[in-house]
Every structure is written in structure tokens, then in C-alpha cells.
Amino acid sequence: MEREEEKKKEGSSYRYWVREATSDAAPPPLPQKLSNNDVALNAAPASLGSLWNRAGTWEEKSLTKWATDRLKELLGSVGSLQFSSGKAEIKDVNRCVGDAFLVTVRNKKRVGYTYELSLKVEGEWSFEENMKKVKGSLEIPEFSFGELDDLEVDVKLSEDKDLSQQLKQRIRLDMKQFLEPIRLKLGQFEQELKDR
């Protein structure tokens, strides 16, 4: 009981800031109008991304439309390859499915993509003094940013009963030579994506 009475006499353990101005307190600040020079000096440094994201915390922008169109354009320009027993060229991009994005994180720009491709290929091969026209496709099941060294291509030939298994095997090996020109075009695409 005695302790409780002592605490009441000492007063509350909480402290409050002075609510009323005293004679030794500093005067309250007065508002000042800024000039154009003051505003220019205090402007925030330029940041990546949108104006609303000046801190550069997180912002994601889809580049899928641009990337899909650019991939089709680049891969369509690969052209033809000459082989020991024939030649072939990429006629069209049958399928180009995926997405590409630009992410701004902590005021640093990062890009990425993931795509699947199917390229229409036509060519001619000589076999036993006859020229055989061959149609097929190059399938690239999945590729993404920074993984072009691991790129793989699957060759699918249209069903042609006139072709022997030996000739089909030779054609598949020849068509796999498109891998290097495709890899170069995709490397160019990655660089353009980084520069955006």
C-alpha cells in the first residue's frame, strides 16, 4: 500500500511534450515559396522505369509483342544453307510462343524471356542422281535468356514414303546445321532486348 501511495505522489511515469509555447522556445517555422531554381536543385536524380516509381523498387513491363515480332523477323532472315548433297532454307516461322519482359528492381534493369519455336524448312537433296524435294520443320522446344549455349533443335520431316531411312538420317544431320545461324540470330535478339 505504501508503494502505491508513493507512486501517486511522484506523479505519472509518462512524460508529455510541452503543449504551450514558453518564452524560451523557438518560433514556429514560416512557409516560404520556392523559386524555379530551388525546385531544379532539389529534383530527384533520373531513375529507370516510370515516373511514379522514382525509388525504382519493382516494375515489370511486358515486351512480348515486340519480342515475338522481332524473333519472327530475325529468324526469317536466316536464309538458306548449302550442304554436301543439297540445300535448304527457312521459309517461315510456324510457331513463336512465349513471353518477354523488362523488370526494374532497385533501380536496376533486368530483362528475360522464354520462347518455343517451330520453323518451316524446305530443301532439295540429291540421292542416287535424283533431286528430292523435302519439307520439314525445326523445333526448338524451349529457350530462355542466357541459355543459348544449351540450345537444341529437333528436326521433323514431312511424311514422304519415297525417302529411305538412310536419306532421312542424312537430311536430319544436314538440317541440324541450322542451329549455329539460329543461335547467332537469337544472340542478336538478346542484345537488342538488353538495349531496350
Side-chain angles (χ1 to χ4, degrees):
M1 282 286 227
E2 289 178 18
R3 281 192 146 184
E4 289 178 21
E5 288 177 12
E6 286 177 18
K7 282 186 180 180
K8 285 182 183 177
K9 287 181 184 176
E10 289 176 14
S12 174
S13 63
Y14 294 105
R15 300 281 184 223
Y16 294 100
W17 292 101
V18 177
R19 292 187 180 169
E20 295 179 16
T22 59
S23 60
D24 59 337
L30 298 173
Q32 294 179 348
K33 188 169 183 165
L34 295 176
S35 68
N36 287 338
N37 289 339
D38 294 334
V39 172
L41 291 175
N42 291 330
S47 64
L48 294 173
S50 300
L51 290 175
W52 60 266
N53 192 10
R54 289 200 177 217
T57 53
W58 176 272
E59 183 177 347
E60 187 170 343
K61 181 179 178 183
S62 175
L63 299 175
T64 303
K65 170 98 174 82
W66 173 85
T68 302
D69 293 343
R70 188 64 181 140
L71 277 172
K72 287 180 179 180
E73 181 182 336
L74 286 171
L75 293 171
S77 70
V78 168
S80 63
L81 288 181
Q82 196 74 30
F83 311 113
S84 61
S85 60
K87 66 177 183 174
E89 79 174 298
I90 295 176
K91 288 289 190 180
D92 193 19
V93 179
N94 287 343
R95 188 172 53 111
C96 182
V97 179
D99 63 326
F101 50 87
L102 167 72
V103 177
T104 305
V105 182
R106 294 185 182 152
N107 222 10
K108 291 183 182 172
K109 184 170 75 167
R110 295 184 174 103
V111 292
Y113 66 86
T114 302
Y115 270 91
E116 295 177 16
L117 291 173
S118 176
L119 309 170
K120 181 180 176 183
V121 181
E122 293 180 7
E124 290 182 330
W125 274 263
S126 64
F127 185 68
E128 296 175 357
E129 299 182 19
N130 293 328
M131 290 300 283
K132 298 276 187 182
K133 290 195 180 233
V134 178
K135 293 182 180 180
S137 65
L138 300 173
E139 307 284 332
I140 302 174
E142 184 178 356
F143 63 99
S144 55
F145 187 80
E147 297 178 358
L148 294 181
D149 292 337
D150 301 331
L151 198 65
E152 293 180 11
V153 65
D154 297 327
V155 178
K156 294 187 179 177
L157 300 177
S158 59
E159 292 301 316
D160 192 347
K161 296 177 182 173
D162 295 343
L163 299 176
S164 67
Q165 287 295 7
Q166 181 184 4
L167 182 57
K168 284 183 179 179
Q169 190 62 27
R170 185 181 338 155
I171 292 170
R172 283 190 184 99
L173 286 174
D174 285 346
M175 288 179 117
K176 285 196 177 219
Q177 292 180 29
F178 274 106
L179 182 60
E180 199 52 42
I182 289 171
R183 186 179 283 138
L184 290 173
K185 293 293 183 179
L186 294 178
Q188 180 182 345
F189 166 74
E190 275 192 8
Q191 190 57 48
E192 290 178 15
L193 187 64
K194 281 190 228 177
D195 295 340
R196 280 189 70 80

